[in-house]
Amino acid sequence: DSGVTQTPKHLITATGQRVTLRCSPRSGDLSVYWYQQSLDQGLQFLIHYYNGEERAKGNILERFSAQQFPDLHSELNLSSLELGDSALYFCASSVGGTGAYEQYFGPGTRLTVT
Amino acid sequence: GENVEQHPSTLSVQEGDSAVIKCTYSDSASNYFPWYKQELGKRPQLIIDIRSNVGEKKDQRIAVTLNKTAKHFSLHITETQPEDSAVYFCAARGGYGGSQGNLIFGKGTKLSVKP
């Protein structure tokens, strides 16, 4: 158990819908990273928040957005969902904000868009 | 931005043999290189990492080597066991540009250890 929690574990929804994925970092960690992992694909970096502020964006679609709250948990919002958005979504946390610290992954949320 | 290439994509070895996975990176400013193990349906788990001021690091049966000049790093697993079967990902921390400070992952190597 990495100490990073994600909810829900599974999510099934229809095309065009909107969902929110939640992540709570390890105690003491200030950074939250979001990744997308499609079938047989590697981990695609989406976005990074550090202590409530957006630090960097990766290959994140405009339909996706995220935020980090004062208690440091983070939410990833996915809207106008398409079949291709079906994937595992992981968040990871680390103590620092520069990316040079160990990142610990949560168990992931498996999103299925039908 | 940073690009990380990982080879091979699949690797099959006999129990007890060694396994080597290689990665190359493009950003010469990268300075942190972790390796993750992901079992089917589970989270990626950090197994070892190396920073650019070190050439080699070992942890029991696992070792990582880094060649900054050639911009490549490798994972070595000795005396492989069936429980080593998983997908292994290398990553590099981008130094500049859009990927600055963030991990860019290779596409993974599926390691199968046959009893």
Side-chain angles (χ1 to χ4, degrees):
Chain A
D1 185 359
S2 66
V4 180
T5 61
Q6 286 187 250
T7 57
K9 290 186 67 174
H10 301 279
L11 200 48
I12 302 174
T13 189
T15 54
Q17 295 299 303
R18 173 190 170 94
V19 297
T20 297
L21 314 183
R22 181 188 170 106
C23 169
S24 292
R26 295 187 319 158
S27 177
D29 284 358
L30 299 179
S31 273
V32 171
Y33 304 81
W34 285 97
Y35 295 91
Q36 180 191 57
Q37 186 175 42
S38 302
L39 191 64
D40 295 329
Q41 292 293 310
L43 291 150
Q44 298 293 317
F45 166 68
L46 295 178
I47 197 163
H48 169 205
Y49 276 84
Y50 175 75
N51 203 21
E53 294 187 1
E54 181 184 303
R55 271 291 174 98
K57 277 186 174 180
N59 299 320
I60 189 167
L61 300 171
E62 286 190 10
R63 301 182 285 109
F64 296 180
S65 65
Q67 54 184 327
Q68 187 179 29
F69 294 87
D71 67 352
L72 301 177
H73 90 271
S74 178
E75 293 181 356
L76 179 67
N77 300 295
L78 314 176
S79 62
S80 302
L81 285 168
E82 302 175 358
L83 295 177
D85 298 327
S86 296
L88 260 175
Y89 291 85
F90 288 102
C91 76
S93 74
S94 70
V95 62
T98 65
Y101 298 87
E102 294 86 344
Q103 292 187 22
Y104 295 91
F105 282 75
T109 293
R110 182 173 294 280
L111 172 66
T112 302
V113 182
T114 61
Chain B
E2 176 70 280
N3 183 48
V4 176
E5 294 194 1
Q6 183 171 348
H7 299 281
S9 56
T10 60
L11 180 59
S12 182
V13 299
Q14 287 295 133
E15 182 176 0
D17 287 351
S18 295
V20 180
I21 302 170
K22 299 181 179 182
C23 289
T24 59
Y25 61 98
S26 60
D27 188 344
S28 58
S30 291
N31 59 6
Y32 175 61
F33 307 90
W35 285 88
Y36 285 83
K37 174 184 180 182
Q38 186 178 27
E39 297 176 1
L40 190 62
K42 296 192 176 181
R43 75 186 80 198
Q45 289 188 292
L46 180 68
I47 56 172
I48 196 167
D49 57 12
I50 191 167
R51 298 182 188 275
S52 57
N53 59 345
V54 174
E56 183 175 4
K57 185 176 178 180
K58 288 183 179 179
D59 183 3
Q60 299 182 333
R61 297 186 296 108
I62 293 174
V64 57
T65 58
L66 172 64
N67 183 325
K68 287 179 58 181
T69 303
K71 290 191 284 187
H72 68 69
F73 55 113
S74 301
L75 177 71
H76 304 254
I77 306 174
T78 59
E79 300 173 18
T80 53
Q81 301 167 4
E83 51 265 39
D84 293 330
S85 296
V87 178
Y88 291 80
F89 292 97
C90 64
R93 172 181 176 260
Y96 296 103
S99 58
Q100 181 179 5
N102 296 292
L103 293 180
I104 306 303
F105 285 82
K107 292 192 178 299
T109 295
K110 184 175 182 179
L111 173 64
S112 300
V113 180
K114 298 181 178 179

